[in-house]
């Protein structure tokens, strides 16, 4: 994350600079180790970050993400539970838990968690919310809910208005050229 004045990715509602920026610098180093194939070193380094910031839910959440990436799903779940003990409405935690459910093929459960994540994020966290709504769109399409998927795609575009690819993708899926969708799915509905 580059802009220190954007909303913190943890979902606290604070600006990144005054929330998790110091630990994210350390976490970035941990993830760099993991990307270089030094998985055990990355896990040890993450344990050091957690020990230094044990009262920060974001540290536990990022450790859970690292564990999950290293195919330690059960440990990732229990680690994420520690984050929720510290911050019950932890938006990134709900997003991550949704990723766990998607990996298991549990689309409906993931969708509920993604919606909870979107609910708890600060409305000014546009990039993060756009990503969440794209995931919601994908789940709704998998569940054959095209109207809900269209609404999610429009919300993603609202939170990322400069993303021309997103707008073009919405047009290609929900435009008049797609005969696989009913007309009601191609229309914009206001609620």
């Amino acid at each position: 994350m580059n802009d220190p004045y954007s909303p913190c990715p943890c979902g606290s509602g604070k600006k990144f600079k005054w929330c998790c920026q110091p630990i994210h610098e350390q976490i970035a180093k941990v993830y760099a180790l993991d990307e270089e194939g030094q998985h055990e070193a990355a896990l040890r380094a993450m344990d050091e970050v957690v020990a230094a910031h044990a009262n920060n839910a974001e540290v536990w959440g990022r450790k859970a993400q690292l564990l999950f990436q290293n195919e330690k799903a059960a440990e990732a779940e229990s680690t994420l539970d520690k984050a929720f003990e510290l911050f019950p409405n932890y938006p990134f935690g709900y997003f991550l838990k949704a990723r766990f459910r998607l990996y298991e093929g549990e689309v409906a459960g993931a969708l509920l968690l993604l919606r909870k994540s979107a609910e708890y994020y600060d409305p000014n966290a546009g990039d993060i919310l756009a990503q969440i709504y794209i995931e919601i769109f994908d789940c709704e399409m998998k569940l054959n809910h095209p109207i809900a998927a269209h609404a999610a795609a429009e919300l993603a575009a609202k939170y990322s208005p400069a993303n021309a690819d997103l707008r073009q993708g919405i047009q290609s899926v929900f435009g008049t050229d797609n005969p696989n969708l009913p007309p009601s799915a191609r229309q914009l509905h206001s609620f």
Side-chain angles (χ1 to χ4, degrees):
M1 176 164 273
N2 296 335
D3 182 8
Y5 299 102
S6 64
C8 189
C10 78
S12 67
K14 299 176 187 174
K15 299 296 181 198
F16 183 55
K17 179 178 180 130
W18 291 289
C19 193
C20 294
Q21 185 178 19
I23 61 169
H24 268 270
E25 291 168 1
Q26 296 170 13
I27 291 169
K29 292 175 185 173
V30 169
Y31 278 91
L33 281 173
D34 194 56
E35 288 174 18
E36 293 169 1
Q38 299 181 43
H39 307 299
E40 291 304 316
L43 290 167
R44 283 192 305 274
M46 183 60 88
D47 285 339
E48 292 174 15
V49 177
V50 168
H53 304 279
N55 292 327
N56 186 308
E58 180 73 349
V59 172
W60 290 101
R62 297 302 171 160
K63 179 179 180 182
Q65 183 180 29
L66 182 66
L67 288 165
F68 186 70
Q69 288 175 195
N70 283 276
E71 300 177 7
K72 298 181 182 211
E75 282 181 69
E77 288 275 1
S78 63
T79 299
L80 190 55
D81 288 342
K82 292 177 184 173
F84 282 118
E85 288 172 16
L86 295 168
F87 186 6
N89 297 335
Y90 178 40
F92 178 74
Y94 284 106
F95 177 73
L96 190 55
K97 200 173 253 305
R99 303 301 293 249
F100 296 170
R101 298 295 81 81
L102 284 171
Y103 179 76
E104 296 166 351
E106 191 184 319
V107 178
L111 180 58
L112 291 172
L113 292 164
L114 287 166
R115 290 195 181 282
K116 198 167 233 186
S117 178
E119 176 185 336
Y120 289 136
Y121 262 112
D122 182 312
N124 296 316
D127 292 342
I128 297 165
L129 284 166
Q131 182 182 359
I132 291 168
Y133 280 110
I134 289 169
E135 296 273 348
I136 290 172
F137 157 81
D138 189 49
C139 289
E140 294 288 14
M141 288 301 280
K142 286 177 181 171
L143 294 170
N144 197 23
H145 301 151
I147 295 173
H150 193 175
E154 290 296 335
L155 283 168
K158 172 188 164 195
Y159 285 111
S160 186
N163 188 338
D165 292 337
L166 180 56
R167 182 57 58 200
Q168 188 175 19
I170 293 170
Q171 183 59 34
S172 70
V173 173
F174 297 104
T176 56
D177 298 342
N178 189 343
N180 297 324
L181 292 177
S184 61
R186 291 193 290 266
Q187 298 172 354
L188 285 178
H189 299 274
S190 60
F191 298 97

